[in-house]
Amino acid sequence: MSYILIVGAKSDIAKEVARVYAQNGYDLYLAARNSKELEDFANDLKVRSNNQVELLELDITAFNTHETFYNSLKERPLGVVVVSGYMNEQHLVEKDWNESLNTINVNYTGAVSLLNIVANDFENERNGFIVGVSSVAGDRGRKANYIYGSAKAAFSTYLSGLRNRLYESSVHVLTVKPGFVATKMTENLDLPEKLTAQSIDVAEDIFKAQQAGKNILYTKWIWQYVMLIIKHIPEFIFKKMSI
């Protein structure tokens, strides 16, 4: 079956996304920095699914390498899933420009650089799908993570525009907005159990939403309503809150 390119493939969510697509018969390109670290994972996927799984070296922040990377794929992918993300503690990021810039580049600029190339190809072929994993953090800026959140907000806006542009080319674009997810990136955070999803649940939600042609996915689903409330809190009240 056709290849799915998963970008940021070392993350917990990306691994579960890979498992779900493999279980459903897709071959995989797993792209990440130091991708050899995924060899055991890739071999396990091959054995369990009997599909092709290839490891590719990709630095999402090395913008000038993206066109060569995409053009070097032996077979054009049917779909691209961008899961790359980076979040450090806000108090560290806001005092260190390099941390701020890395947060912006991993979560936004790098994805735009690569997806511009993918979108042009898919538009010409009038086929394909793009999934971008953004975050509910992009729905409203909060003091707890506003640099990370602002990068995700920009990514959500980019995906919205891309969806609008590619509609007439029959290329589907899905924006994914996870809330709290239990991963290595959040393992030191005290997350509320009822609002926190497991990576496998997020991956299964992504696959179902992509196959159904949905535009925006909140996972867990309750986050759509949580963020609806948060977005409508008047600013003169919101600025005094710690949420």
Side-chain angles (χ1 to χ4, degrees):
M1 188 177 277
S2 300
Y3 276 90
I4 305 301
L5 169 61
I6 299 177
V7 178
K10 290 198 298 186
S11 78
D12 294 340
I13 292 176
K15 287 180 178 177
E16 296 299 345
V17 169
R19 285 193 179 98
V20 172
Y21 275 92
Q23 288 166 2
N24 284 276
Y26 291 91
D27 297 322
L28 299 173
Y29 294 126
L30 302 182
R33 289 189 303 174
N34 303 316
S35 60
K36 286 187 176 180
E37 296 175 9
L38 287 167
E39 281 184 347
D40 290 344
F41 174 73
N43 289 334
D44 182 65
L45 275 186
K46 290 178 187 175
V47 171
R48 292 176 185 272
S49 68
N50 202 31
N51 293 316
Q52 297 297 313
V53 181
E54 298 193 22
L55 300 182
L56 304 173
E57 195 64 22
L58 174 68
D59 182 345
I60 196 66
T61 65
F63 314 127
N64 61 349
T65 68
H66 290 172
E67 187 159 13
T68 300
F69 164 82
Y70 188 73
N71 291 335
S72 69
L73 298 178
K74 70 175 185 181
E75 182 179 322
R76 175 185 167 279
L78 171 66
V80 177
V81 184
V82 176
V83 195
S84 48
Y86 174 75
M87 182 177 71
N88 202 344
E89 294 179 38
Q90 172 67 27
H91 70 94
L92 299 175
V93 179
E94 66 193 25
K95 291 179 172 59
D96 184 332
W97 170 242
N98 288 328
E99 276 293 314
S100 292
L101 188 59
N102 194 45
T103 301
I104 294 166
N105 284 340
V106 174
N107 292 293
Y108 177 57
T109 321
V112 171
S113 171
L114 181 63
L115 288 180
N116 280 351
I117 298 164
V118 173
N120 291 338
D121 180 37
F122 284 10
E123 186 175 44
N124 287 335
E125 296 293 331
R126 301 184 67 81
N127 188 37
F129 70 82
I130 293 169
V131 177
V133 178
S134 183
S135 170
V136 297
D139 280 10
R140 189 163 191 179
R142 298 182 296 119
K143 65 181 179 182
N145 62 1
Y146 64 86
I147 295 177
Y148 169 81
S150 64
K152 289 299 191 184
F155 190 37
S156 294
T157 301
Y158 173 82
L159 292 168
S160 176
L162 201 59
R163 180 163 43 249
N164 189 200
R165 167 192 163 190
L166 296 177
Y167 173 75
E168 292 185 352
S169 302
S170 301
V171 177
H172 173 228
V173 179
L174 169 65
T175 304
V176 181
K177 296 186 177 184
F180 298 139
V181 184
T183 65
K184 290 193 291 289
M185 194 166 71
T186 61
E187 63 186 358
N188 294 321
L189 302 179
D190 184 20
L191 303 179
E193 184 176 344
K194 290 185 177 180
L195 290 176
T196 303
Q198 300 301 310
S199 296
I200 182 59
D201 299 322
V202 173
E204 290 177 347
D205 285 349
I206 288 173
F207 181 77
K208 291 175 185 174
Q210 180 269 309
Q211 295 285 307
K214 289 188 176 181
N215 299 317
I216 299 172
L217 167 69
Y218 282 85
T219 175
K220 294 182 170 185
W221 62 268
I222 195 172
W223 279 99
Q224 180 174 356
Y225 301 99
V226 172
M227 296 314 299
L228 182 66
I229 293 170
I230 289 176
K231 286 189 290 186
H232 283 83
I233 297 173
E235 191 67 23
F236 74 91
I237 296 175
F238 189 78
K239 70 180 182 181
K240 303 172 186 173
M241 299 175 68
S242 294
I243 59 175

